[in-house]
Amino acid sequence: QLQLQESGPGLVEPSETLSLTCSVSGGSIGGSNYYWAWIRQSPGEGLKWVGSIYFRGNTYYNPSLKSRVTMFVDTSTNDFSLQLTSVTAADTAVYFCARHQGDCSSSSCFLSYYYSMDVWGQGTTVTVSS
Amino acid sequence: QSVLTQPPSVSGAPGQRVTIACTGSRSNIGAGYTVHWYQQLPGKSPKLLISGNNNRPSGVPDRFSGSKSGTSASLAITGLQAEDEADYYCQSYDSSLSGFYVFGTGTKVTVL
């Protein structure tokens, strides 16, 4: 059974970079039709999709965060990561990682409007404060 | 700031039927993009409840059903049970600058 587990610092200082990792177990992060996503939840914004990455490195980011977000995938360790730069208190949230299918062919894989996020991690709380 | 609007709360007695509306626009639900529903129990992560407008993943009771019409979608819970007390979120795709994947504002279901 596929499981996702978020990890990273629970406290980040303002203007610094938030770095989180999602470890995937019970299945391979590569060689499939799946994208791997970050979603965050805060009282002010509710649930907000941050971005998604395919194992070949294709990325899609939320336009409101795009200038500060970078996602990476490491197939050797079967995990993927999120970096969010220049954080402020508004970035304080519970961060979830999740899986969703992409619109894939033998040669490419795009973000799909059709599929849901079917597996979620338990979430990790990140507080931005000095 | 969510582009999908839900009522903050709904309530019902055990055994009753409740519905949760998810109102979008022509750039998301109205464009024909699929709607998914998630259940979030207190202190837990969201769990997929309904996918592709009205499909229940394995293990989800048939008390839960989804529908879509125009720029809105609905989640219905029939035969409400105490264990259904949770937050529920709709989610769809948006073709504007709102951010590809968008979520609803969330609805708290209370079992009286």
Side-chain angles (χ1 to χ4, degrees):
Chain A
Q1 181 180 356
L2 190 78
Q3 291 186 318
L4 308 180
Q5 177 69 58
E6 305 88 350
S7 61
L11 181 65
V12 182
E13 294 199 355
S15 80
E16 296 296 309
T17 296
L18 179 161
S19 297
L20 297 174
T21 297
C22 181
S23 300
V24 179
S25 60
S28 175
I29 201 171
S32 62
N33 294 339
Y34 290 102
Y35 268 81
W36 306 90
W38 288 97
I39 301 102
R40 71 184 191 184
Q41 185 174 31
S42 64
E45 287 188 315
L47 285 167
K48 181 172 184 171
W49 172 75
V50 176
S52 296
I53 188 167
Y54 186 56
F55 81 97
R56 288 182 176 153
N58 315 40
T59 53
Y60 294 86
Y61 301 139
N62 191 309
S64 69
L65 299 170
K66 187 174 183 177
S67 63
R68 300 192 292 128
V69 170
T70 306
M71 293 178 64
F72 306 92
V73 64
D74 191 333
T75 55
S76 66
T77 53
N78 217 40
D79 58 39
F80 61 104
S81 302
L82 167 70
Q83 286 190 350
L84 182 65
T85 63
S86 305
V87 298
T88 69
D91 296 309
T92 293
V94 178
Y95 285 76
F96 298 100
C97 55
R99 181 188 81 167
H100 63 87
Q101 285 193 49
D103 187 4
C104 304
S105 66
S106 58
S107 59
S108 60
C109 193
F110 302 101
L111 207 67
S112 172
Y113 66 82
Y114 184 81
Y115 296 107
S116 57
M117 296 173 190
D118 63 346
V119 181
W120 293 65
Q122 65 183 30
T124 187
T125 301
V126 178
T127 302
V128 179
S129 176
S130 55
Chain B
Q1 296 177 349
S2 299
V3 299
L4 302 180
T5 302
Q6 300 176 230
S9 64
V10 299
S11 61
Q16 284 190 331
R17 179 179 187 269
V18 297
T19 61
I20 301 170
C22 174
T23 303
S25 66
R26 288 182 294 178
S27 65
N28 43 68
I29 298 175
Y33 299 128
T34 50
V35 178
H36 317 293
W37 291 90
Y38 302 87
Q39 177 193 61
Q40 187 175 31
L41 296 170
K44 301 294 186 180
S45 58
K47 168 195 168 186
L48 179 63
L49 197 65
I50 297 288
S51 67
N53 301 327
N54 58 7
N55 300 300
R56 283 176 287 104
S58 174
V60 174
D62 59 6
R63 302 184 288 104
F64 296 93
S65 62
S67 63
K68 190 182 86 164
S69 178
T71 58
S72 296
S74 290
L75 173 71
I77 310 174
T78 57
L80 194 63
Q81 299 184 5
E83 66 206 51
D84 300 332
E85 189 159 291
D87 293 325
Y88 293 82
Y89 296 89
C90 58
Q91 180 249 311
S92 187
Y93 180 93
D94 192 285
S95 59
S96 71
L97 294 178
S98 298
F100 298 112
Y101 291 140
V102 290
F103 289 88
T105 50
T107 299
K108 169 70 175 179
V109 169
T110 300
V111 182
L112 302 173

